[in-house]
Amino acid sequence: MSDRRPRSLRWLWQCLLWGGYAALSAAMMVAFAGHHSGGYFIAVMLGLGLWASSEALRKLALQHDWLARPLAGLLWRMALAIALLAALVQVLVIVPLVVGLTLGWLQLTGSDFSPWALLAYWFNTMMPMWLWAAAWISLQAIRRSRQSELLRLRAEAERSQLEFAALRARLNPHFVFNALNNLRALINEDTERARQMVTQLSNTLRHALGHSTAEMVTLAEELAVVQDYLAIEAVHFEQRLRVEEQIEAEALTALLPPMSLQLLVENAIKHGIALQPQGGTLQIQGGLIDGRLWLAVRNPGRLDRSGNGHGVGLAYLSSRLQALGELAAFSLDAQDGHVLARIEIPPCAP
């Protein structure tokens, strides 16, 4: 993740921060040792060195993604980088200072370059760098937290839009109108079958309206809704729709997102069976492989590679499967004049 703050604004804050630090250092040297060119040289060089060091530290942390590491890993990397950068700053300050004092270009009273003094200078250089690093890491953590929250809210919004679109697709006016027209015809011809169709239509619509209330359902529950839906469509398509179902008994208790199988079935009828003048056979298969549920729906037809032939239903299904982890999978392939849709769902706790 990169620091998205505009460079000009960042440089302005850096200039104010380290320029202020240099001015404060110069004022303190004047207060304790008077006006000396060496004191001003030290203040200016420290300000420039700390500015450059903070930029280098920021670049290192972002390029190597230190902020994504555990706290211990972040701290020891920061500590090592700050220690080395502070030592480099001291070298860049002390070496020119000693040369300037030796040649008489600079004046400074009470200068001390003993090992203990050098260690104190090094420590004093690290302190402002640590304060800067703490403030910068805190700001980055707040920014990352906000971005993560925005991404989460965006993902939830996209999922809600897909669910709404999928629900709207489920309440397709053509499906409802066809069902009602067929029901009207059955009322006089076959009262018992008409009564049964009302129940099936009610179950289908109830499932469509309440699909988002449950995160997972059993395959047996999903099959019950699919069978109601197919019974309604069978009235409309008559002999053009033939269904073959092969579901392993041990798979009936496996869990899956609601509408997963029914979306595949609806897609197969809408983009396959309905477009074939002679209709065709819809094959529904399912079982368990190493504890994972697999379901396959096969229908006659062609696969539209342009992406225009399949809509929000499959997009919604893909988003639900992605939420189940890497082991969940969805595929849609063309085979010998047929389209095969297949999903795999990892074991899910009830």
Side-chain angles (χ1 to χ4, degrees):
M1 180 180 296
S2 61
D3 186 355
R4 299 179 183 274
R5 179 176 298 177
R7 180 178 298 180
S8 58
L9 180 59
R10 188 181 75 250
W11 280 20
L12 174 61
W13 281 108
Q14 288 281 72
C15 181
L16 292 175
L17 174 63
W18 299 120
Y21 179 84
L24 179 61
S25 298
M28 293 179 64
M29 290 183 182
V30 169
F32 287 101
H35 294 277
H36 295 285
S37 58
Y40 292 120
F41 176 81
I42 291 173
V44 172
M45 291 299 291
L46 277 177
L48 292 175
L50 289 171
W51 185 348
S53 297
S54 63
E55 286 292 321
L57 189 62
R58 168 189 166 275
K59 188 174 182 179
L60 275 173
L62 292 177
Q63 281 187 345
H64 299 283
D65 206 13
W66 289 358
L67 297 175
R69 297 182 179 273
L71 181 59
L74 170 64
L75 290 179
W76 78 258
R77 285 173 173 80
M78 280 289 181
L80 180 60
I82 288 175
L84 293 175
L85 289 170
L88 180 60
V89 169
Q90 283 301 310
V91 170
L92 295 177
V93 171
I94 292 176
V95 171
L97 177 63
V98 171
V99 172
L101 292 175
T102 302
L103 297 178
W105 297 343
L106 299 173
Q107 292 80 38
L108 182 65
T109 59
S111 57
D112 185 0
F113 300 109
S114 65
W116 288 109
L118 294 177
L119 185 62
Y121 300 154
W122 175 63
F123 180 78
N124 289 335
T125 304
M126 285 195 296
M127 292 307 298
M129 292 183 65
W130 267 114
L131 292 174
W132 178 91
W136 181 76
I137 290 172
S138 299
L139 289 175
Q140 289 296 309
I142 293 173
R143 184 174 300 136
R144 285 184 167 226
S145 176
R146 289 178 177 175
Q147 289 178 346
S148 297
E149 183 66 13
L150 286 175
L151 289 175
R152 185 186 66 82
L153 293 175
R154 186 177 302 165
E156 289 184 356
E158 290 176 353
R159 175 177 168 178
S160 297
Q161 289 176 352
L162 283 173
E163 288 181 348
F164 175 75
L167 173 60
R168 186 173 56 187
R170 287 290 313 283
L171 297 178
N172 189 312
H174 295 291
F175 167 73
V176 177
F177 291 155
N178 288 338
L180 291 176
N181 287 332
N182 293 326
L183 177 61
R184 182 177 61 181
L186 283 177
I187 289 176
N188 294 327
E189 297 177 5
D190 191 336
T191 306
E192 182 60 30
R193 192 177 179 190
R195 186 182 298 111
Q196 184 180 7
M197 186 174 178
V198 168
T199 301
Q200 292 163 342
L201 179 60
S202 175
N203 291 339
T204 302
L205 296 180
R206 185 185 302 112
H207 181 67
L209 293 172
H211 77 279
S212 61
T213 60
E215 287 295 324
M216 307 293 286
V217 297
T218 65
L219 178 57
E221 294 171 331
E222 183 77 359
L223 278 173
V225 179
V226 168
Q227 289 164 354
D228 283 335
Y229 172 80
L230 288 174
I232 296 172
E233 291 288 46
V235 175
H236 176 68
F237 288 98
E238 297 181 337
Q239 300 302 318
R240 294 176 59 214
L241 175 60
R242 298 174 293 278
V243 179
E244 293 180 1
E245 184 178 302
Q246 297 176 344
I247 303 294
E248 298 176 3
E250 58 269 23
L252 293 176
T253 56
L255 297 176
L256 72 163
M259 293 177 62
S260 298
L261 179 58
Q262 187 164 344
L263 284 172
L264 296 183
V265 170
E266 291 178 0
N267 192 71
I269 292 178
K270 180 179 179 182
H271 301 288
I273 303 295
L275 302 181
Q276 307 298 316
Q278 74 281 8
T281 299
L282 179 70
Q283 295 176 321
I284 304 174
Q285 298 175 317
L288 297 177
I289 298 179
D290 297 330
R292 291 188 300 170
L293 173 66
W294 67 271
L295 295 169
V297 175
R298 187 172 185 266
N299 62 273
R302 297 168 53 192
L303 183 58
D304 186 355
R305 297 291 183 181
S306 67
N308 297 324
H310 307 283
V312 295
L314 296 186
Y316 166 73
L317 176 58
S318 296
S319 70
R320 291 300 302 266
L321 292 178
Q322 288 176 2
L324 297 180
E326 296 180 355
L327 295 179
F330 168 66
S331 62
L332 192 63
D333 301 301
Q335 298 179 347
D336 301 326
H338 289 75
V339 175
L340 177 66
R342 181 185 175 96
I343 59 175
E344 292 188 14
I345 301 172
C348 303

